Amino acid sequence: MLADLVFRLRVLLRRKDVETELDDELRFHFEREVEKQIASGVTRDEAVCRARLAIGGHEQLKEECRDARGVNLFETLWQDIRYAMRILGRTPVITAVAILSLALGIGANTAIFSLINTVMLRMLPVQKPEELFMVTRQSPQPTDESNNYFTNPLWEEVRNRQNVFSGVFAWGSNRFDLAQGGAVQYVNGIFLSGEYFTTLGVRRAAGRLNTVDDDQRGCPGVAVLSYGFWQDHFGGAQSAIGSSISLDNRAFQIIGVSAAGFSGVEVGKKFDVAIPICTEPIFNGENSMLDGRSTWWLQIVGRVKPGISPEQLKARLGVISPQIFAATLPQNYDPKDQQDYLKRFLSTAPAARGTAYLRNQFSQPLAILMGVVALVLLIACANIASLMLARAAARSKEIAVRKALGASRMRLIRQLLTESVLFSSAGALLGILFAQWGNALLVRYISPANRQISLDLSLDTRALEFTAAIAVLTGILFGLLPALRSTRVSLTAAMKGSQSGEGERRAQFRPGKWIVASQVALSLVLLVVAGLFLRSFLKLVTLDLGFDRQNVLIVGTNLKIAKIPPEQYQPTYQEIEKRLRSLPGVVSASRSVMTPISNFIWNNILQMDSPNAPTGDDAVAYFNFVSPGYFETLRSPLQAGRDFNDGDTKTSPQVAIVNETLARKFFPNANALGKYFRVKPEPGKVAPPVQIVGIVRDSKYESLREEANATLFSPITQIPENNESENFELRTTTRPSMMVSAVQESIAGVNKAVPLEFRTLAEQVDDSLVQERLLATLSGFFGGLALLLAMIGLYGALSYLVTQRQIEFGIRMALGAGPSSILRLVMRDVAIVLVGGVVAGVGISLAAVRVLQKMLFGLDAHDPVAMVAAVGVLSVVALLAGYVPARRAMRVDPMVALRYE
């Protein structure tokens, strides 16, 4: 078998030598037969004739030998490819435009599929990832969603009681500041248990990795670096092992580096530094989360033991769940919440593809974009199909000659499809380059300003197989119809070179006309989708947020990292705020625990003495603690009452400012000013009364899409516990970024060790619109691209029609028809195509856009404005595209046109 394979490869790669050998061998056998006949007593001429009759024709034998080699198909295919390259090379401009169109369509599909592959399909780069399962918490209530986060006591119970995993580990994500004061230099970190690397099968690149011995209470601060971080920050130097790295102003000894190619189990978020879970008290001291039974910060993954099925895995975890939850019952929960806690049970979910918040955030947008780019590719295919139909009509004589010489119709179809697939393959190769560039751009585009998303966008086998399949399918898709039609050519008419009659011309144009109509229909669908997402995005961008996002600089600080004693937190914050207020260019300044649209929330249940007051989940309100001047800085106007002042201190009566929604909800028939409420306390405690002293206008709290929530603001001086981290808001007269250096100097005058994180309120709001901006921008871009391709197709089809009907136009004009009548004749075809495409496109759009409703904000999926605008834009551009060839038809010289006959 190996010898046969080697022979076939030699036939393919050294064809000329093999042909020479075959020719010599056949001649040798022929001469031997001639000598044999001469030996029988006949003349040489007679011997040659008998030898030819006995052996057969020389060329016929060669063909039979070629067929016997089993490589004739490949040889013929290679001939078809070379011929197709020569044909395509005769029209370089048309070929280049067609390949570029396909490259854009295939490249867009490859780019979006690569993102889907990376975020949703690709396995983790670890040993046997299919054996990994994530442990989850489930509720008996079918409506409750599973939760992937655990407390450390829960994790320790799972680790100690489980008997279904050969290895199990926990980890929690965090950010660490490398700088020791001043502007922060954040890196991605993880707290991990001792079996993290061993369970995953990750090897070391240098030093050693964490083990179970490193994960013991009271452990020293040690760190493992990722390979990429080691290369970027230490240049891959071995001297990094044993040195120290500062994490939140705490020294950790570097003990090793993980292998290249591994960046953690969270897709889109690579880790830079990994430290043991037991080092968490180094950062939080007395407030350590290690014994916190209601602090949810860890995730658990295990490698299932051989022979245990997923169903058995869930069943065994379910058996030990009651003991685990009973042993970790939070004592600060009220009786009802404790009962709900004890009803929870453990389950699992496959973890072969890792965990990813990106998967939940972008799965639907990526699916929509995949559909959009698929439509773009279909339009590009229709465009090339129109081109191929025109090319096939121009090659009718060539095809007729080949049929007359004995070529079968299947052989001609194969040749024409080879040309089409060659087209699409060239487009796919160029499309891969577009995809690589587009993917990098997309990742930067969807990354928030303060957090870069990290994805491995290299083309793996699955992505390359997808691109190859798309190339072949598109080549067949746009090449099959032209191949079938062109091979039905009339031999007599083609050999004579005569022009087709009127009926035949219209029959030839009919497929091209409906191909263009389909392009118009698909383009309309994309324009409607783009219009919907664009209008939705504009509504969000122009939404009244209840505050002014412009010219506000946010400065995040953390005094704990600066190692300032807790009793000095408030005096230090007050001194910093005082200094910032006095900076030139600062209009007003304030501080708060949370800033709007920051993805952080603080809520609790309010208790009222009034009758029929909301209770339970209905009584939940969102909290923030702010300093005097907060509402002035954000330009959120007070509707009634007063702002906080210096008289609102830790020891003074507690007060609050509530928003309009809270005032209406809790005091529907009374004025909320002066009224009292209490915040639900922990079991066994009594909460003090809080008086409402002001009502502020509603504003967005967590997201732009939310309805107004009941929200209250308390003086930051009355926060229950000393808060280690606070934000300063500065409204400036200049661009906020210009104030950064002045702010750094001012805060350094108080304490140089205070870490500072700078961002603007406008950036924070914009980061919340990443998904909407992505859909609006890309759907708009692809909608415009589809429109351009459709109009090129319409222009090409009409140009071909005008060329084919030149004689008809000449005769009409010779008989007295005016240019305007010729214009109407051509534009009638444009109108037919346009109306057919618009009607089909409207029907498809009305049926398809329903799935977009959840992605839209403030408008219906069947929004008439988006539909009318799309139809209007498409109609105008289509008429312009058809008018150019129509104008050319008006200028046909009758004498020149009639000479063609």
Side-chain angles (χ1 to χ4, degrees), residues 794-833:
L794 180 60
Y795 172 80
L798 265 294
S799 296
Y800 169 68
L801 175 64
V802 167
T803 302
Q804 292 295 308
R805 299 178 67 182
Q806 267 190 330
I807 298 171
E808 176 197 345
F809 295 152
I811 294 173
R812 286 176 179 270
M813 296 182 75
L815 293 175
S820 59
S821 66
I822 300 298
L823 177 65
R824 287 194 300 271
L825 198 63
V826 177
M827 293 305 290
R828 184 184 64 184
D829 287 317
V830 176
I832 291 172
V833 169

Side-chain angles (χ1 to χ4, degrees), residues 498-508 804 808 901:
S498 64
Q499 294 291 324
S500 300
E502 174 68 16
E504 189 173 345
R505 279 198 299 269
R506 290 190 178 276
Q508 287 177 347
Q804 292 295 308
E808 176 197 345
E901 284 295 319

Side-chain angles (χ1 to χ4, degrees), residues 49 68 166 184 195 210 277 291 330 333 399 412 432-433 485 505 545 593 692 704 709 718 730 768 770 818 885 889:
C49 290
S166 59
V184 295
E195 292 189 59
N210 292 88
I277 290 176
D291 294 317
Y333 279 16
I399 293 172
L412 293 174
I432 289 175
L433 299 179
R485 287 193 61 82
R505 279 198 299 269
L545 306 179
V593 172
I692 298 173
L704 300 189
N709 294 305
Q718 294 182 352
L730 309 179
S768 71
V770 167

Side-chain angles (χ1 to χ4, degrees), residues 322-339:
Q323 299 95 320
I324 290 176
F325 284 97
T328 59
L329 180 66
Q331 298 303 314
N332 61 338
Y333 279 16
D334 61 28
K336 180 180 181 303
D337 290 336
Q338 287 185 341
Q339 291 176 7

Side-chain angles (χ1 to χ4, degrees), residues 105-173:
I106 295 175
N109 278 266
T110 301
I112 301 301
F113 178 80
S114 295
L115 278 177
I116 292 174
N117 179 42
T118 301
V119 174
M120 305 178 69
L121 304 177
R122 186 177 290 177
M123 296 283 192
L124 288 173
V126 299
Q127 293 181 8
K128 298 181 178 179
E130 66 279 359
E131 295 179 355
L132 299 177
F133 287 86
M134 171 168 281
V135 181
T136 62
R137 290 185 293 122
Q138 300 283 352
S139 168
Q141 300 296 328
T143 56
D144 290 348
E145 295 182 358
S146 64
N147 198 305
N148 298 337
Y149 286 91
F150 290 79
T151 64
N152 187 65
L154 265 174
W155 148 241
E156 290 179 347
E157 287 294 322
V158 171
R159 177 192 62 194
N160 297 335
R161 293 176 184 268
Q162 70 85 24
N163 61 358
V164 289
F165 296 117
S166 59
V168 63
F169 63 86
W171 87 97
S173 298

Side-chain angles (χ1 to χ4, degrees), residues 51-69:
R52 284 176 179 164
L53 289 173
I55 294 178
H58 188 74
E59 293 301 323
Q60 181 183 358
L61 285 173
K62 289 175 71 174
E63 284 297 326
E64 292 174 358
C65 291
R66 292 188 188 107
D67 291 338
R69 294 170 186 163

Side-chain angles (χ1 to χ4, degrees), residues 585-598:
V586 174
V587 177
S588 60
S590 62
R591 58 192 172 103
S592 64
V593 172
M594 284 168 293
T595 54
I597 323 298
S598 60

